[in-house]
Amino acid sequence: MKTRVDEIGDRIYRLSTYVPDIAPPAGFTFDQFLILGEEPMLFHAGFRRMFLLVLEAVSRLMPV
């Protein structure tokens, strides 16, 4: 699995992780949203076990 990063607004990012094992055959995508600013905010809507994938994706956008 890998988390895809898309800028959806000015300094607003969607981090999407596709999980093929959930709801086969279509799979399921979990999204997180990162808002960069003076005090960045991450809205995480995924499983705890996805933390390392999300952390790696966030580190591509800002120091963690």
Side-chain angles (χ1 to χ4, degrees):
M1 286 185 295
K2 185 170 170 116
T3 300
R4 176 182 164 161
V5 177
D6 295 297
E7 187 170 14
I8 59 173
D10 184 33
R11 299 176 50 96
I12 301 172
Y13 297 87
R14 179 181 58 226
L15 292 70
S16 301
T17 306
Y18 173 71
V19 182
D21 299 337
I22 297 177
F28 192 82
T29 301
F30 290 93
D31 292 324
Q32 292 79 24
F33 297 90
L34 176 65
I35 302 170
L36 295 179
E38 195 171 307
E39 294 186 31
M41 185 195 82
L42 174 66
F43 180 81
H44 186 282
F47 291 122
R48 187 178 310 181
R49 64 183 171 176
M50 296 171 58
F51 175 75
L52 292 178
L53 291 170
V54 174
L55 178 66
E56 188 275 326
V58 169
S59 71
R60 288 186 255 155
L61 301 168
M62 61 176 280
V64 290

